[in-house]
Each structure stands twice: as structure tokens, then as C-alpha cells.
Amino acid sequence: AIAGVLAALAQIASLAGASDFTTSAFAYFLIALAILGTSIIMTLMLRRNAHFNSYWDTEICIQVNDTKTQDGEENFLPLSELSSGTVLESDEPHVTQRSSRHLLKSLYEMWIHGGCTMLTLMYTLMLYPALLQPIKSVHFDPDNAWSSVFFVPVIVFLSFNIFDWIGRTLAGFVKWPRRNQRWILLAICLARVVFIPLCMFMNQQPRKHLPVVFNHDAYPIILVILLGLTNGYFLSLAMTYGP
């Protein structure tokens, strides 16, 4: 969500500072390079962070069952010292069968939350950005910068990502439906399908068959806000409640 906000802001900045689309695209490319370079520099600077080094330098030890000391204490070997021929034995037989049963049990317990995640993303990606991008302002004027240039980047891309971010953050404080109300969560995720016909009756141009029902700029703004907010909120809830 934060990456989407940054990308939308970069798009708006490139459109505002350029006189034509070629210059705007070049400016957008330079902004992407600057962000990429900043990310590389910050990644390299992580080695100076004490908190990062405390985890990075910790050796992962694996218990080797057939390697014991003479006094009966178990010996641990670092992962880097294990050769390719080292065989890790298990005291319990049929590990594969039990692992398969545990996997099936986990899938059975999480299929509702997984379905909520799939439905949330599916409905969102069906609308954003393919069906939302053609929406035009009802006061469209080629000579007006807001309606011709900035309407879609601000209303569609920036608004969606901001409220998607708000929804993800809100899920950390307000949790409804509860963990034991997973069927309610699934029903709400299914109900988000109503956004699709609502979007089709917005002022999408060009159009040939369906009439424009919501003939005001406030309607696409409300639609994008609700779409982004519910996407971030219910997606985070489904991922949090999963076993």
C-alpha cells in the first residue's frame, strides 16, 4: 500500500512538472531510479544497525540426533558445517504421512480465510485499475488540468492506495468480524461483488451500451474510497485470522 502511494505521488509529480507525456514519462522513470538507488543504499547501511546484526550474525543450529557427547548431552551443529551427505534422522516413523495429514488439516482449517483472501483480491483486481481508469469527470474539459490530467491519478490511483493503507492499519486496532465469525467475514467478502455493477454505471468513457447512472464526480470518489478501505481491511483480517 505504501509503495502504491509513493508510485501515485510520483506519477502526479511527473505530470505536474512536465509539459508533455514524453517528458512526464522520463521524469517518472528518473523518480523510480532515485527510489531504487535509495533502497540499495539503505539496504547496504543495514550492516551498521546493531539490531539487524544481532539477527544476521546468529548461527542457525540444527539438532543432529545421532551426534551426542559422551556425557549424554545433545550436540548442535551450525547449518554451515553440515555437509551435503549429512543425514538427519527422525526418532518417529512415517514422518511423511503425518506431515501430509497435518497439511490437509491446516488446509481444512484455513480454507475459509483463504477464500476470503482470494475473493477480496479478485474483486479488487477486476476493478482496479482496468475498470476505474476509464472513469472521466462529468465536467471534463481538455483545457482544464484537473479534469483532463489529474482526475484519474488523484481519484483512482492515489485515493485507492491511501485508503487501502488506512484499511490495513485499521485492521490492527478494530477487528470485526471476530476470529470465530469467519462465515460473516466470508459473506462480507462475497458482498463486495456489488462494486462491479456500480462501477459499470459510472461515467466511463467511451461507452456504447449502458447508460451513465451516477452522473456526478462524488460517486467515483466514494466508490474508490470504499473499494480501497474494504480491500485493505478485510484482506488484513483474513490473513491475520488464518492458522
Side-chain angles (χ1 to χ4, degrees):
I2 298 178
V5 172
L6 293 177
L9 290 175
Q11 181 187 16
I12 295 171
S14 63
L15 290 172
S19 58
D20 55 81
F21 286 106
T22 303
T23 307
S24 174
F26 182 67
Y28 195 61
F29 177 72
L30 291 180
I31 293 174
L33 285 181
I35 294 176
L36 182 61
T38 304
S39 301
I40 294 175
I41 294 174
M42 294 180 67
T43 302
L44 295 176
M45 291 179 63
L46 277 176
R47 293 297 296 171
R48 298 184 178 182
N49 186 284
H51 182 72
F52 173 80
N53 289 329
S54 66
Y55 287 95
W56 182 265
D57 296 333
T58 301
E59 289 187 295
I60 302 175
C61 296
I62 296 180
Q63 180 180 355
V64 182
N65 294 328
D66 59 347
T67 306
K68 297 179 179 293
T69 57
Q70 293 182 354
D71 56 359
E73 295 181 355
E74 296 176 345
N75 189 22
F76 293 88
L77 294 180
L79 182 62
S80 58
E81 296 182 8
L82 292 177
S83 63
S84 59
T86 304
V87 178
L88 301 181
E89 298 180 355
S90 175
D91 295 333
E92 301 178 1
H94 310 296
V95 175
T96 304
Q97 289 82 348
R98 281 199 303 274
S99 299
S100 300
R101 288 199 301 269
H102 292 164
L103 177 61
L104 293 176
K105 182 180 178 181
S106 298
L107 290 176
Y108 175 76
E109 293 177 351
M110 66 173 291
W111 76 268
I112 294 180
H113 300 106
C116 293
T117 303
M118 183 194 71
L119 289 172
T120 302
L121 290 175
M122 182 176 68
Y123 293 149
T124 299
L125 294 177
M126 289 175 67
L127 293 173
Y128 177 84
L131 293 181
L132 293 176
Q133 189 271 338
I135 295 178
K136 304 295 183 182
S137 172
V138 296
H139 306 292
F140 180 80
D141 182 2
D143 297 327
N144 184 276
W146 164 250
S147 61
S148 62
V149 178
F150 295 105
F151 183 81
V152 172
V154 173
I155 299 304
V156 176
F157 294 100
L158 183 61
S159 297
F160 174 84
N161 285 287
I162 287 178
F163 283 93
D164 179 50
W165 184 14
I166 293 175
R168 294 171 188 265
T169 305
L170 188 63
F173 300 95
V174 181
K175 295 186 181 298
W176 187 89
R178 300 293 183 182
R179 184 182 295 271
N180 58 348
Q181 297 174 321
R182 53 184 184 175
W183 291 107
I184 298 178
L185 179 61
L186 180 62
I188 296 175
C189 293
L190 280 170
R192 291 181 76 246
V193 72
V194 73
F195 288 138
I196 298 176
L198 289 177
C199 181
M200 295 173 65
F201 289 105
M202 298 291 175
N203 186 34
Q204 294 175 326
Q205 300 297 335
R207 63 191 304 118
K208 294 181 180 180
H209 304 289
L210 296 177
V212 177
V213 177
F214 304 104
N215 197 20
H216 195 281
D217 287 348
Y219 293 115
I221 295 174
I222 296 173
L223 177 68
V224 171
I225 289 175
L226 292 178
L227 181 67
L229 193 64
T230 55
N231 178 78
Y233 182 75
F234 292 116
L235 183 63
S236 297
L237 276 188
M239 297 292 288
T240 303
Y241 290 163

